[in-house]
């Protein structure tokens, strides 16, 4: 099949990109038994996905896909901190932010798929060994790119005291995290109400943006990058790909385009839905009125 051939090409490409990021981010970084700690983190992120893929493919299930991603953020970030020769306040702050975010999002997504029973995105993919493997490999790359700023700052040999950038970064992270949590909570409450069956949400933060949860996700990773920025040197600046990658992934690839297409298929042509689209920004919030 054509899709399988594309996956066969895409898998090694994803791995090569991961290797390139691992090498760049390892510059001026600590090592463990001669292995750059940042590169070890990236490698472990991919390895965890591949082990989970074997189980998922044999069971033909995607139920723990998102949960595996969240557990990867948690376990690899903790590993990076524990193996780092120096554990400073910046590392502890970054670890805490990643743990809080990953725990909250992981439990939320896992609970959601347990209620729905499946993720329809995988209906056609999981029956194909290569295409299903590609999704898990891409998740390894996704985790590595997203967490790159935190991991580089944790594993670098460059150390600086926390200053005002750390405070600014934390406030940005807190705003984005709170925005995302509130948006998810509002949508969950909306869908739990039987009266809203078959309707689209256009209240709360969802009247400010059609995807307020994604806006919060992007903002919080900008906050992490701001905290990491003061200790980045040379090729380590590749870590700033973190918020850029999250933005591109959510706005161009697997987030907004898919959800917008599904919404158009379901409610397109309805007067209230078309009016909602007209007055509500796709991503960056704008209060109504």
């Amino acid at each position: 099949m054509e899709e399988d051939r594309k996956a066969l090409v895409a898998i090694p490409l994803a791995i090569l990109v991961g290797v390139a990021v691992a090498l760049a981010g390892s510059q001026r970084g600590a090592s463990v038994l001669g292995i750059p700690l940042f590169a070890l983190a990236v490698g472990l992120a991919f390895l965890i996905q591949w082990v989970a893929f074997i189980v998922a493919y044999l069971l033909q299930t995607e139920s723990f896909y998102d949960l595996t991603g969240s557990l990867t953020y948690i376990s690899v970030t903790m590993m990076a901190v524990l193996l780092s020769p120096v554990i400073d306040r910046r590392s502890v702050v970054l670890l805490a932010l990643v743990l809080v975010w990953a725990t909250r999002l992981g439990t939320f997504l896992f609970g959601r798929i347990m209620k729905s029973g499946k993720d329809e995105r995988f209906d056609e993919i999981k029956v194909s060994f290569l295409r299903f493997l590609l999704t898990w490999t891409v998740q390894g790359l996704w985790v590595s790119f997203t967490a790159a700023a935190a991991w580089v700052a944790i594993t670098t040999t460059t150390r600086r005291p926390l200053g005002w950038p750390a405070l600014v970064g934390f406030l940005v992270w807190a705003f984005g995290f709170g925005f995302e949590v509130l948006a998810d909570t509002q949508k969950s409450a909306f869908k739990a109400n039987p009266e809203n069956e078959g309707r689209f949400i256009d209240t709360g933060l969802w009247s400010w943006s059609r995807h307020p949860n994604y806006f919060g996700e992007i903002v919080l990773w900008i906050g992490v990058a701001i905290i990491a920025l003061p200790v980045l040197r040379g090729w380590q600046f590749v870590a700033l790909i973190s918020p850029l990658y999250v933005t591109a992934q959510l706005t161009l690839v697997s987030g907004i385009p898919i959800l917008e297409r599904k919404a158009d298929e379901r409610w397109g042509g309805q007067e209230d839905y078309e009016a909602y689209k007209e007055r509500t920004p796709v991503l960056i919030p704008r209060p109504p009125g």
Side-chain angles (χ1 to χ4, degrees):
M1 291 178 59
E2 180 65 23
E3 294 300 323
D4 285 345
R5 286 195 292 268
K6 290 180 180 178
L8 187 60
V9 174
I11 290 170
L13 284 178
I15 295 172
L16 286 175
V17 172
V19 170
V21 172
L23 293 175
S26 296
Q27 301 300 311
R28 300 174 183 264
S31 297
V32 176
L33 300 177
I35 302 174
L37 187 50
F38 178 77
L40 182 63
V42 173
L44 184 58
F46 276 87
L47 181 61
I48 292 173
Q49 309 315 306
W50 291 331
V51 171
F53 157 74
I54 295 173
V55 178
Y57 183 73
L58 292 176
L59 298 178
Q60 281 295 285
T61 180
E62 71 283 0
S63 60
F64 52 84
Y65 180 81
D66 291 320
L67 182 62
T68 300
S70 296
L71 292 175
T72 304
Y73 284 105
I74 293 171
S75 60
V76 175
T77 306
M78 290 183 65
M79 180 275 295
V81 171
L82 293 175
L83 294 183
S84 180
V86 178
I87 303 177
D88 61 359
R89 293 181 179 179
R90 192 182 311 274
S91 297
V92 173
V93 169
L94 290 169
L95 172 63
L97 299 187
V98 172
L99 291 186
V100 169
W101 167 81
T103 301
R104 201 290 305 185
L105 186 61
T107 53
F108 172 77
L109 294 176
F110 187 66
R112 187 174 66 180
I113 197 170
M114 287 296 97
K115 289 181 181 179
S116 63
K118 69 171 186 175
D119 187 335
E120 59 184 22
R121 296 176 301 172
F122 291 88
D123 286 348
E124 297 181 3
I125 294 175
K126 64 186 177 184
V127 297
S128 166
F129 180 90
L130 288 174
R131 293 172 64 191
F132 202 28
L133 174 59
L134 176 61
T135 62
W136 289 90
T137 302
V138 168
Q139 179 157 262
L141 190 62
W142 185 325
V143 171
S144 300
F145 274 175
T146 304
W151 291 353
V152 169
I154 289 169
T155 61
T156 185
T157 55
T158 303
R159 301 290 169 173
R160 293 185 62 183
L162 289 177
W164 65 263
L167 176 59
V168 171
F170 173 76
L171 292 176
V172 171
W173 178 91
F175 172 76
F177 180 76
F179 209 90
E180 181 178 36
V181 171
L182 181 56
D184 285 338
T185 301
Q186 290 176 343
K187 189 169 187 179
S188 295
F190 179 87
K191 295 179 72 173
N193 187 344
E195 296 180 0
N196 295 323
E197 180 69 28
R199 296 176 55 199
F200 61 91
I201 182 171
D202 60 352
T203 56
L205 293 181
W206 300 83
S207 67
W208 294 27
S209 166
R210 302 209 295 272
H211 303 279
N213 53 337
Y214 288 163
F215 172 76
E217 178 80 356
I218 292 168
V219 169
L220 73 86
W221 286 110
I222 292 175
V224 169
I226 293 173
I227 296 173
L229 184 59
V231 295
L232 302 183
R233 299 290 184 274
W235 281 103
Q236 290 179 333
F237 281 103
V238 73
L240 296 182
I241 197 174
S242 171
L244 298 176
Y245 178 79
V246 172
T247 301
Q249 188 72 28
L250 293 179
T251 60
L252 301 176
V253 184
S254 66
I256 291 175
I258 294 176
L259 294 179
E260 286 286 302
R261 183 172 64 251
K262 289 182 178 179
D264 288 342
E265 291 173 353
R266 188 170 187 181
W267 298 294
Q270 296 183 18
E271 184 176 349
D272 56 348
Y273 174 70
E274 296 299 337
Y276 171 67
K277 285 187 66 176
E278 181 68 23
R279 69 176 182 266
T280 310
V282 175
L283 180 66
I284 301 176
R286 184 183 67 232

